[in-house]
Amino acid sequence: MSVHFTTILDGLEVTMGLGIHPHELAARQRVIVSVRMEVVYPAPPAEDRIDAVLDYDFVRAGVQALVADRHFHLQETLCEAIADLCLADPRVERVMVRTSKPDVYPDAAVGCEIVRGR
């Protein structure tokens, strides 16, 4: 019997190049990333050890590496790249990725959310 867990990385703040407008091309901006992964295991973890489950450190480090030296024009493209990163682990059955640019408007954040699965 397989078991399902949801592994969450919520509110990761990165400073990155994102956007199409001249001011966005000229300077990095704050972006908030949240990821929910539906992870399938053959059985519940038998021991209380990190190597028995998906370690979300790989998602955090992977997102940071994705945005370190690359400028994304679209949040949709960024979300797809993060989803691909997560789905590279065969235990991840489905992933939801949300990005948000909190500083675009003084009264609202703008964002994108996608859901991808196998």
Side-chain angles (χ1 to χ4, degrees):
M1 168 182 91
S2 63
V3 294
H4 296 241
F5 285 86
T6 301
T7 300
I8 301 166
L9 176 69
D10 192 33
L12 174 64
E13 185 174 315
V14 294
T15 302
M16 62 173 294
L18 178 61
I20 61 168
H21 300 292
H23 66 278
E24 293 176 313
L25 295 169
R28 297 167 74 79
Q29 65 181 300
R30 200 163 57 109
V31 176
I32 309 300
V33 177
S34 294
V35 179
R36 293 177 62 90
M37 295 172 287
E38 294 179 18
V39 186
V40 179
Y41 302 106
E47 296 183 33
D48 193 20
R49 293 188 354 247
I50 191 63
D51 61 352
V53 296
L54 179 75
D55 185 352
Y56 43 71
D57 285 350
F58 96 92
V59 178
R60 182 176 175 271
V63 169
Q64 291 171 329
L66 274 173
V67 305
D69 298 319
R70 177 176 172 188
H71 183 97
F72 287 84
H73 291 285
L74 304 174
Q75 288 194 66
E76 291 83 353
T77 308
L78 173 61
C79 285
E80 288 289 353
I82 296 169
D84 287 346
L85 168 74
C86 296
L87 290 167
D89 188 305
R91 297 171 295 182
V92 177
E93 185 174 89
R94 191 169 124 111
V95 62
M96 184 281 297
V97 179
R98 175 185 297 164
T99 60
S100 176
K101 298 193 302 187
D103 304 320
V104 171
Y105 300 119
D107 55 355
V110 296
C112 179
E113 180 176 294
I114 65 168
V115 177
R116 297 292 180 263
R118 301 194 180 281

